[in-house]
Amino acid sequence: MLLEVKNVTIQYGKITAINDVSLDVEKGEIVTLIGGNGAGKTTTLRAVCGMRQPVTGEIWFEGQRIDGLPVQKIVQLGVSHAPEGRRLFDYMTVKDTLLAGAFLQKNKNEIQRSLDRVYGHFPKLKERSRQVACTLSGGEQQMLTIGRALMANPMLLLLDEPSLGLAPLLTQEIFTIIEDINRSGVTIVLVEQNSRMALKVAHRAFVLEVGRIVLTGEASRLLDDTRIKAAYLGQ
Amino acid sequence: MIVQVLANGMMLSLIYALVAIGLTMIYGVMHILNWAHGEFVMFGAMGAFYLMVVSKLNFALSLVVATIFVGLLGVITERIVFKPMRGLHLPSYIMSIGLVYVLQAMGSFMFGVQDKMIPTVMPGVVKIFGAILPKSRVMLMPIAAALTAAYYFFLQRTRYGRAIRATSMDEVGASLQGISIDRCAAIAMGSGSALAGAAGVLLASIVKINPFMGEALIFKAFIIVFVGGRMSLVGTIIAAFIVGYTESIVSVYWDPAWIPMIEMAVLAAILIFRPGGLVGIEVKKLGAARE
């Protein structure tokens, strides 16, 4: 088991964002968390990467307990996060942003290899390597966010709404790349509003409703589940 | 005359740039308006005086030692004074004003309140295009320019330079790359203070110094920072040149007493047309970055 979230509860002040959430991710999988607004998907990712501390519960990564560790330490262990809202460095060039993503990597050859790999997944970023982030299109910014997270050579990649605000064609392109990244050996936890797309690429899914996991199973099964169809796929 | 004005303007501009670049870094990374930045310049100048007059070191060595000393003072200040206030804008603002008086008092105790001068660094004059310029003033220019260039290189090309820029643009985004915001704050404050210290040493070689010399400088430095645009090194340097040249032109062709007013007018005009500063990076996400 690569990642195990055990009975985690997180509160923002007095409001409970996620309640007793448990989930597990195997090496090599794409696991998706789906659910409506405020269901607790983003909070779950934040808990895993250390941005939020659980009130109760435990988080284990590669046999090591990671809840309570600082974000930096968790990144170092091999968890990268492409966060909600992208959080790009607006006036930094694409190349510098990617190099900043490799901050913990000190070996020059390794950094170059990561850079080549990211440019391989996202040829557009290579074309725009000298442009500053805020002048990129929405799709390119999303690519840069994912590329930056990949620069740390993560074992586990957390993606928060990669399709947000993108045209259908671009969404398709991003999801194809996500599958490629997964095939290259990176385990992925994907949070999505676009449930149909997410269920198509994922191996397994967890469905969150108001802070609790209400349903879990193989993604292809959930795609045919009548409850899921009614609630999330608009059928 | 013209050459003299140009040379003097260049010298002032380069020194102001050194002071303002440090301030801009501290503001960009820590979101702190450090009113005590002028006092770090003063400690650089006083340090140079102490090292050259009391310890009999030469100018070059004094520059290095005083710069490092003021840089360390900056790091210590960050840890003791600003770190506990991180994210609290008003308290850190008040703390930095308090720091002005504490450092001025420390300066007065350590060095006395009288005006001081350091020995002439390089005697003699040089003739450039018919103008006669003291060597000790001319030699400041390459030193200040080299320090600025070195800092630019540090920010653009090194691992921690990128980390500092990233932190100033999006703290959350930076920390998700494994960048330590604490360490970046210490480096920004240390390096920014060190530049202020170096500027102080250079200033000491051309003007009289005393424990209160920072006060006049800090206003100019803040003007340069905001006219330049937040976290824009290039903008800061351009703004420093506008201030430096305004000063040198007004003092020769008019009356030095008018300098502050004219400077303010020029800079207010620039801010009216470009509220984000010359190289306009808006102050954005500051609130969001702290959620």
Side-chain angles (χ1 to χ4, degrees):
Chain A
M1 204 65 68
L2 188 66
L3 175 76
E4 258 184 298
V5 175
K6 294 182 186 165
N7 311 99
V8 165
T9 297
I10 286 188
Q11 295 177 327
Y12 292 95
K14 282 186 176 157
I15 299 155
T16 302
I18 57 173
N19 195 350
D20 199 27
V21 163
S22 296
L23 56 89
D24 55 278
V25 179
E26 299 263 16
K27 218 169 226 169
E29 274 187 314
I30 299 181
V31 166
T32 180
L33 309 181
I34 59 177
N37 270 333
K41 304 176 306 257
T42 294
T43 304
T44 308
L45 289 194
R46 286 186 179 163
V48 173
C49 78
M51 285 167 79
R52 283 283 158 192
Q53 307 301 340
V55 192
T56 59
E58 295 175 6
I59 302 171
W60 292 72
F61 178 72
E62 277 237 300
Q64 186 178 348
R65 193 169 166 181
I66 59 169
D67 56 284
L69 292 181
V71 180
Q72 278 168 273
K73 189 78 204 152
I74 294 176
V75 177
Q76 212 156 20
L77 289 173
V79 180
S80 280
H81 186 181
E84 185 186 39
R86 295 172 191 155
R87 295 289 185 182
L88 287 174
F89 313 126
D90 281 1
Y91 296 88
M92 209 182 250
T93 62
V94 167
K95 190 173 180 196
D96 276 1
T97 303
L98 293 175
L99 292 177
F103 178 77
L104 292 174
Q105 183 63 254
K106 281 163 205 156
N107 181 326
K108 279 222 168 100
N109 297 330
E110 286 285 322
I111 294 175
Q112 189 56 46
R113 216 170 304 152
S114 305
L115 201 58
D116 291 341
R117 177 171 166 227
V118 169
Y119 284 154
H121 285 303
F122 303 103
K124 265 200 191 124
L125 292 183
K126 188 167 190 181
E127 284 167 36
R128 306 220 182 273
S129 65
R130 298 178 66 86
Q131 222 170 298
V132 295
C134 65
T135 62
L136 299 178
S137 72
E140 289 159 355
Q141 288 191 0
Q142 193 56 55
M143 292 175 186
L144 183 55
T145 311
I146 300 173
R148 181 181 67 176
L150 274 180
M151 286 299 290
N153 266 326
M155 275 186 272
L156 177 65
L157 181 62
L158 312 174
L159 297 177
D160 200 341
E161 303 262 6
S163 77
L164 192 72
L166 301 188
L169 216 59
L170 256 168
T171 305
Q172 184 72 56
E173 193 184 336
I174 294 269
F175 273 85
T176 308
I177 296 169
I178 290 172
E179 284 187 294
D180 283 347
I181 292 170
N182 176 248
R183 267 193 290 273
S184 77
V186 183
T187 308
I188 291 173
V189 175
L190 173 66
V191 156
E192 258 299 333
Q193 295 257 354
N194 189 337
S195 312
R196 188 190 307 275
M197 278 301 248
L199 289 173
K200 273 185 189 160
V201 301
H203 304 108
R204 287 188 306 133
F206 291 83
V207 183
L208 279 154
E209 253 167 43
V210 282
R212 284 176 184 278
I213 289 185
V214 293
L215 197 61
T216 157
E218 277 176 42
S220 53
R221 287 246 181 98
L222 292 187
L223 211 46
D224 295 327
D225 189 293
T226 44
R227 285 167 295 174
I228 296 293
K229 275 183 173 170
Y232 301 107
L233 303 177
Q235 289 174 356
Chain B
M1 196 64 155
I2 294 241
V3 178
Q4 211 127 20
V5 171
L6 289 178
N8 261 327
M10 173 72 80
M11 187 189 67
L12 282 173
S13 306
L14 287 168
I15 291 179
Y16 290 160
L18 280 185
V19 178
I21 288 168
L23 201 58
T24 240
M25 294 314 299
I26 291 164
Y27 180 64
V29 173
M30 297 155 67
H31 315 304
I32 281 174
L33 293 174
N34 183 19
W35 285 99
H37 197 65
E39 275 55 51
F40 288 103
V41 178
M42 179 269 287
F43 266 94
M46 289 300 189
F49 173 80
Y50 184 86
L51 291 167
M52 289 182 74
V53 175
V54 182
S55 307
K56 309 278 185 221
L57 291 183
N58 64 27
F59 182 74
L61 211 52
S62 304
L63 176 66
V64 173
V65 174
T67 301
I68 292 171
F69 164 73
V70 177
L72 289 177
L73 193 67
V75 174
I76 293 166
T77 307
E78 197 276 329
R79 283 289 110 121
I80 297 176
V81 182
F82 292 137
K83 197 180 168 201
M85 306 276 139
R86 179 111 8 112
L88 306 170
H89 290 240
L90 196 57
S92 61
Y93 185 85
I94 302 294
M95 284 301 256
S96 86
I97 291 178
L99 198 59
V100 171
Y101 297 108
V102 172
L103 293 176
Q104 282 183 0
M106 276 170 63
S108 305
F109 264 119
M110 289 161 71
F111 308 107
V113 294
Q114 316 84 329
D115 279 355
K116 292 181 177 51
M117 287 184 78
I118 62 170
T120 308
V121 178
M122 243 187 225
V125 294
V126 281
K127 267 194 167 178
I128 302 173
F129 300 115
I132 295 165
L133 301 164
K135 274 188 187 162
S136 56
R137 294 190 154 226
V138 175
M139 68 137 206
L140 295 185
M141 296 183 214
I143 297 176
L147 282 169
T148 306
Y151 204 70
Y152 185 78
F153 179 84
F154 161 68
L155 278 184
Q156 294 296 322
R157 289 292 160 83
T158 66
R159 183 166 162 259
Y160 267 102
R162 269 191 294 271
I164 282 177
R165 280 190 293 141
T167 304
S168 78
M169 294 183 217
D170 196 313
E171 258 179 44
V172 174
S175 66
L176 286 175
Q177 314 314 314
I179 292 168
S180 157
I181 307 301
D182 270 359
R183 195 171 300 168
C184 281
I187 293 174
M189 181 85 185
S191 59
S193 304
L195 287 182
V201 177
L202 298 183
L203 265 180
S205 71
I206 53 171
V207 295
K208 286 183 183 142
I209 58 176
N210 66 52
F212 311 105
M213 63 187 280
E215 277 176 13
L217 273 171
I218 191 67
F219 287 102
K220 280 192 214 295
F222 270 130
I223 292 169
I224 292 168
V225 167
F226 288 104
V227 165
R230 190 176 84 96
M231 267 314 275
S232 162
L233 209 60
V234 175
T236 304
I237 293 167
I238 296 171
F241 272 80
I242 293 175
V243 170
Y245 272 101
T246 307
E247 205 169 311
S248 93
I249 290 168
V250 172
S251 65
V252 170
Y253 291 108
W254 205 352
D255 183 332
W258 286 95
I259 289 172
M261 200 206 83
I262 304 222
E263 246 163 32
M264 282 292 179
V266 169
L267 301 169
I270 290 171
L271 283 184
I272 287 167
F273 291 107
R274 293 192 65 95
L278 286 171
V279 180
I281 294 178
E282 325 85 278
V283 182
K284 61 152 257 188
K285 285 188 188 164
L286 279 193
R290 325 212 143 263
E291 53 165 336

